[in-house]
Amino acid sequence: MIDRDLVREWLSISLEDLETAEFLLTKPHKKPLEFICYHCQQCAEKSVKGFLEMCGEDVPFSHDVGMLCERCAEIEPAFKALIDVCANLTHYASRLRYPNRVEVEEQDAVRAIAWAKEIYALAARLCEEKMCESE
């Protein structure tokens, strides 16, 4: 049986990450671009994990959003178009929070937000549809 509350929690926390990234981008002075991209990666990761949960799949402990998206694409072909986008977000999971960070520019953060929005929107829509179907 699907735990709908757990699916909703995955998506709710995912949306909080997305909203945090969008808020941080509005800072008038030095924008924390690394943290914006990190929250975008987190949004994507939690979105696809929510979808996997909705489908009754085991949710792996992994930050590899590309791999997680591939698992989603095996269930729902609409995710195939997002595999590369998810893979691009994956390196923001840890490479921004430790020494020898990757360089991030504002355009990277803007693009990461757009990707996170797209991934979240697809996962949330499909989860909602699956919840409606199973009622």
Side-chain angles (χ1 to χ4, degrees), residues 75-127:
I75 301 163
E76 171 54 58
F79 280 100
K80 286 181 183 175
L82 297 176
I83 292 172
D84 289 340
V85 168
C86 287
N88 289 335
L89 287 171
T90 294
H91 72 276
Y92 295 138
S94 60
R95 293 190 53 209
L96 297 175
R97 298 180 296 133
Y98 297 98
N100 300 316
R101 300 178 182 187
V102 295
E103 289 294 317
V104 179
E105 307 217 356
E106 189 164 342
Q107 67 187 16
D108 299 317
V110 169
R111 184 174 43 238
I113 288 173
W115 288 340
K117 281 182 179 180
E118 187 175 8
I119 296 160
Y120 173 80
L122 177 62
R125 179 179 59 81
L126 292 171
C127 286

Side-chain angles (χ1 to χ4, degrees), residues 36 47 122 134:
I36 293 168
S47 294
L122 177 62
S134 65

Side-chain angles (χ1 to χ4, degrees), residues 6-21:
L6 183 55
V7 172
R8 287 185 185 101
E9 189 170 5
W10 277 115
L11 294 174
S12 174
I13 296 169
S14 174
L15 184 58
E16 289 172 6
D17 277 310
L18 177 58
E19 290 171 344
T20 298

Side-chain angles (χ1 to χ4, degrees), residues 45-100:
E45 179 181 331
K46 292 165 189 161
S47 294
V48 295
K49 286 181 174 181
F51 177 77
L52 290 171
E53 187 75 44
M54 184 65 218
C55 295
E57 298 289 315
D58 288 331
V59 177
F61 182 78
S62 174
H63 302 299
D64 186 341
V65 187
M67 178 274 294
L68 294 167
C69 190
E70 287 174 6
R71 295 248 337 253
C72 292
E74 292 170 5
I75 301 163
E76 171 54 58
F79 280 100
K80 286 181 183 175
L82 297 176
I83 292 172
D84 289 340
V85 168
C86 287
N88 289 335
L89 287 171
T90 294
H91 72 276
Y92 295 138
S94 60
R95 293 190 53 209
L96 297 175
R97 298 180 296 133
Y98 297 98
N100 300 316

